[in-house]
Amino acid sequence: MATVTNRTDAYRSSDSQAAHLYERARRVMPGGNTRTTLYQAPFPPYAVEGKGQYIIDADGESRLDFLNNYTSLMHGHADPDMIAAVSAQLARGTAFAMPTREEIELAELLVSRIASVDQVRFTNSGSESVMMAIKAARAFTGRPKVISFEGSYHGSYDAAEASLPPHSNALEAPPQPFEYSVGTPRGVLDNTIVLPFNDSAAFEAAFAANRDSIAAVLIDPMPLRIGMIRANQDFIELIRERTAAAGVVLIFDEVVNLRVAYGGIQSLYGVEPDLTTMAKIIGGGFAGGAVGGSETVMSVFDPTLGHLKAPHGGTFNANPVTMTAGKVAMEKLTPEEFARLDRLGESIRAGIGETLARHGVDGQVTGAGSLFYIHLHDRPLTDYRSSITNKAEQAFATRLHRAMMANGVFMSTSICGCLSTPMGEGDIDAFTTALGLAIEEARA
């Protein structure tokens, strides 16, 4: 049974290994950082090893890992089955200018699990998968515009980033496309329509006004950046009905939410999109992604049909190491294992809720399956704006995250996390115990 360890915050010392590594990093990387989501002030801990549900930092401290490289490591760290399969593939070669059997096998597995997916195209990341899905939708429809929903993160493609308000002042106006990365061309923003999440009336109005110019509707049914708030069933059904009638491509971003259920989160809604973007768990711990969908829409990538509508290459697309790891990872995720993770997910969400209440914290928990998100307020949650915390709540969240780290739990600075298959009820108990201690320390 996992237990809360002794204090684990040596990395915060100015003489820690983390501090020394960060000084080296600053000399060769802007801000000492090459992945914005991992930035922490004054510096982050540095990982050196992972074992199962534990992550060990450069200062020798071990923590329960409830982040799992932002939900991508479904089986935790250094899974023995993964190591054996990948090691055998490494001895045979890592990448070839030829297709391999391994890409066919992983594609077959994904097609067999996801009802809406007839064919698959592999990429190297979730961002690239979303980019190719948007390109496919434009190529298929001959239209330019994309509808997305405020606050949803879909990776680093210009058209996908426009849904992210860059600062709080942006919220003084109705939802609109923004220059999230400075220098985004005006034309990109003109062809992006950003709407409030879960607002059927706003969607109906915008869709009717732009019907003949819309290529795609891009939606994550439970966006992490919004706070793992579920899309309402009637909202998803409305979008599917309108897009189908207008010949608009419906894209589900399941980069994170494929881990929610055996058939992805779309199986919980009983709604089939035209395209689905995937990444994270399908790479088995290696960089990988995919876009999959109906044979009709996926035909834009088919080089045998004459004029190729959507060319798509990539030196490391479908490399056999990622394909091998992904196949093993997905094969280990049986319906029975998903059911067990569902039970653990319900347990940790309930335990968090009880801990918050016991310590007098106005908060709530969202998520589904093996995912959870802690909101440090009790206001109704419907969309991005309803999930935003005020300055006092943000400050408390920062202190709470540091206290959780000090009490042996690693999670996102956003106070969200996920489970991995090595975990059991003992790890859930350890988390809630650490949370209770962290709340009291964050108040001090």
Side-chain angles (χ1 to χ4, degrees):
M1 179 179 290
T3 57
V4 177
T5 61
N6 295 326
R7 305 298 295 179
T8 54
D9 54 2
Y11 78 94
R12 296 182 63 192
S13 165
S14 60
D15 194 38
S16 65
Q17 286 297 310
H20 294 311
L21 287 168
Y22 182 66
E23 283 306 309
R24 289 174 57 188
R26 288 186 62 183
R27 291 193 286 270
V28 291
M29 290 180 276
N33 179 270
T34 193
R35 187 176 170 190
T36 304
T37 48
L38 303 190
Y39 174 74
Q40 291 183 41
F43 48 79
Y46 281 74
V48 295
E49 187 177 2
K51 295 180 180 178
Q53 65 266 58
Y54 293 94
I55 187 169
I56 299 95
D57 70 19
D59 289 285
E61 295 181 327
S62 176
R63 297 179 183 84
L64 280 167
D65 188 355
F66 282 89
L67 190 51
N68 292 289
N69 193 28
Y70 277 89
T71 78
S72 65
L73 303 176
M74 200 70 172
H75 303 293
H77 301 281
D79 177 79
D81 296 327
M82 214 83 65
I83 290 173
V86 170
S87 296
Q89 180 57 52
L90 288 172
R92 295 191 293 269
T94 61
F96 310 102
M98 294 181 182
T100 67
R101 180 185 297 107
E102 286 74 21
E103 68 190 84
I104 300 172
E105 292 174 344
L106 181 55
E108 288 173 336
L109 185 154
L110 295 173
V111 167
S112 72
R113 290 197 181 195
I114 306 170
S116 66
V117 174
D118 299 328
Q119 295 182 335
V120 171
R121 193 89 181 181
F122 288 108
T123 66
N124 288 295
S125 69
S127 291
E128 191 181 338
S129 298
V130 171
M131 176 180 72
M132 295 314 302
I134 292 173
K135 285 175 175 283
R138 286 173 169 159
F140 182 75
T141 63
R143 304 169 187 166
K145 293 186 178 181
V146 176
I147 289 179
S148 58
F149 297 92
E150 185 183 47
S152 296
Y153 176 74
H154 299 288
S156 52
Y157 182 49
D158 283 350
E161 282 186 329
S163 62
L164 296 167
H167 46 71
S168 59
N169 292 342
L171 303 179
E172 296 173 1
Q176 57 191 286
F178 279 102
E179 180 188 65
Y180 186 69
S181 180
V182 174
T184 300
R186 183 68 241 176
V188 171
L189 304 182
D190 290 342
N191 283 305
T192 307
I193 302 166
V194 177
L195 302 174
F197 192 67
N198 271 330
D199 190 330
S200 295
F203 175 78
E204 286 272 44
F207 194 85
N210 296 275
R211 176 187 172 108
D212 295 334
S213 60
I214 301 170
V217 175
L218 172 63
I219 185 168
D220 180 337
M222 191 177 73
L224 189 154
R225 192 71 69 93
I226 286 179
M228 295 184 188
I229 299 169
R230 286 279 297 269
N232 297 329
Q233 181 73 30
D234 59 354
F235 185 60
I236 291 291
E237 290 177 356
L238 171 67
I239 293 172
R240 176 68 286 185
E241 181 180 342
R242 295 293 183 267
T243 53
V248 171
V249 175
L250 175 57
I251 304 170
F252 272 16
D253 182 345
E254 294 231 31
V255 168
V256 172
N257 290 317
L258 199 66
R259 68 153 42 228
V260 167
Y262 187 79
I265 199 168
Q266 62 192 257
S267 67
L268 303 184
Y269 285 94
V271 171
E272 294 187 10
D274 300 299
L275 293 176
T276 298
T277 61
M278 300 165 269
K280 296 193 185 291
I281 67 168
I282 71 165
F286 290 82
V291 56
S294 71
E295 185 174 356
T296 303
V297 178
M298 292 294 289
S299 68
V300 300
F301 297 118
D302 189 344
T304 70
L305 298 180
H307 175 62
L308 189 57
K309 290 185 176 181
H312 171 227
T315 303
F316 291 99
N317 287 357
N319 73 81
V321 175
T322 298
M323 299 296 98
T324 296
K327 181 170 179 283
V328 172
M330 297 302 289
E331 286 177 338
K332 287 166 68 76
L333 289 172
T334 62
E336 294 75 21
E337 190 61 15
F338 268 106
R340 188 183 74 86
L341 286 168
D342 282 348
R343 291 192 295 272
L344 286 178
E346 291 171 2
S347 179
I348 196 168
R349 288 188 292 273
I352 292 168
E354 292 165 2
T355 303
L356 294 176
R358 188 167 60 252
H359 289 268
V361 176
D362 292 331
Q364 54 196 306
V365 190
T366 55
S370 56
L371 296 164
F372 63 91
Y373 197 110
I374 303 173
H375 297 263
L376 295 174
H377 64 80
D378 58 4
R379 299 182 291 277
L381 295 168
T382 57
D383 58 10
Y384 173 66
R385 298 188 185 204
S386 67
S387 73
I388 295 173
T389 53
N390 59 39
K391 289 185 178 180
E393 291 161 350
Q394 291 170 11
F396 183 66
T398 298
R399 297 193 301 272
L400 185 64
H401 176 261
R402 290 178 177 174
M404 288 294 281
M405 291 283 287
N407 281 284
V409 170
F410 182 58
M411 61 189 304
S412 168
T413 54
S414 301
I415 321 297
C416 66
C418 62
L419 308 177
S420 60
T421 59
M423 291 180 171
E425 285 290 350
D427 301 296
I428 307 304
D429 293 342
F431 182 96
T432 53
T433 298
L435 180 60
L437 293 171
I439 288 170
E440 295 307 313
E441 291 171 18
R443 282 174 166 162

